[in-house]
Amino acid sequence: CLAPVAPYKNQLSLVKAIPNVIQRHPGARFLFVGQISKEYYWQIQQFIQFSSLNKYVIFTDFITHFADLPKYYNLADVYVLVSRAEGNLPATVLQAMSCGKAIVASSIPQNIEGAKRGDEIMFVEPYDIDAISSAINELLDDPELRKRLGENARRTVMEHYTPEAVAKGLIRIYEEVIANRARQGSGR
């Protein structure tokens, strides 16, 4: 998870899903990369300590060099973001998609917005621990599914989210506005 460790990002739900994942995939490790909110971090640490998950969970602090981001995404077999709220489509979802990663994301509108094709992200309820662990296990069980989701995610980014694709979309919007104004002006 590359995101601030904060309540709205809901990493505690992911951590609570870890026991179900490691039961099936004891080699799995969970990397949390991002600025840490100390109070929330301690809540997470309490669960980790109580559940003896220390060897499965790694926390790093904020990444200062954006050029290093792909390296962290590419360490992962699966990118997980089970945030309970977002302002917009999270940049981390687009970044993971551009790296061709299989993604498990919460089924909030901002995350769903990124799935233009509908076959590139597995969505789960943000507080459904069983659904989160099941989705992760399904992806860890099936390398072909991971590959297919990752390829579909990368294709979506290339078709809809590159600077060129965004610019073309803006041009279409402006052309539609101009055409509508022209129609309205000629109808007077």
Side-chain angles (χ1 to χ4, degrees):
C1 181
L2 271 84
V5 177
Y8 75 100
K9 291 295 187 179
N10 192 33
Q11 285 96 344
L12 186 56
S13 288
L14 173 55
V15 170
K16 288 180 178 180
I18 292 174
N20 292 336
V21 175
I22 61 173
Q23 184 175 5
R24 206 146 110 197
H25 299 279
R29 298 296 181 266
F30 295 81
L31 176 63
F32 294 83
V33 179
Q35 185 175 357
I36 295 173
S37 164
K38 298 295 183 206
E39 187 174 313
Y40 187 61
Y41 173 75
W42 290 118
Q43 289 176 25
I44 293 169
Q45 281 300 321
Q46 286 177 331
F47 184 85
I48 290 170
Q49 297 297 324
F50 179 78
S51 303
S52 301
L53 298 175
N54 292 357
K55 73 178 191 177
Y56 301 101
V57 180
I58 303 160
F59 285 91
T60 70
D61 210 343
F62 184 72
I63 306 270
T64 55
H65 300 289
F66 288 115
D68 291 338
L69 287 176
K71 180 174 32 177
Y72 285 93
Y73 285 107
N74 289 321
L75 286 172
D77 291 319
V78 178
Y79 177 74
V80 181
L81 181 70
V82 289
S83 51
R84 59 183 172 84
E86 294 288 344
N88 296 304
L89 172 61
T92 59
V93 169
L94 291 175
Q95 291 162 353
M97 290 172 73
S98 71
C99 289
K101 294 292 134 184
I103 299 170
V104 174
S106 53
S107 57
I108 60 173
Q110 297 86 343
N111 288 338
I112 293 170
E113 178 186 334
K116 299 290 187 188
R117 300 165 40 92
D119 61 357
E120 61 272 80
I121 299 174
M122 291 182 77
F123 291 107
V124 295
E125 291 299 317
Y127 294 105
D128 188 339
I129 306 309
D130 289 334
I132 295 167
S133 61
S134 291
I136 295 168
N137 278 329
E138 183 178 352
L139 289 170
L140 292 177
D141 288 342
D142 190 343
E144 285 302 312
L145 176 59
R146 276 197 321 267
K147 181 180 178 195
R148 187 171 59 253
L149 286 178
E151 288 171 351
N152 292 344
R154 177 123 173 97
R155 189 174 308 116
T156 294
V157 165
M158 298 310 292
E159 290 173 2
H160 298 281
Y161 295 107
T162 62
E164 296 80 10
V166 170
K168 286 178 184 176
L170 286 172
I171 290 169
R172 268 194 311 277
I173 290 169
Y174 283 122
E175 287 172 343
E176 288 174 17
V177 168
I178 291 168
N180 285 337
R181 294 248 177 190
R183 281 194 294 275
Q184 289 173 354
S186 65
R188 289 184 192 177

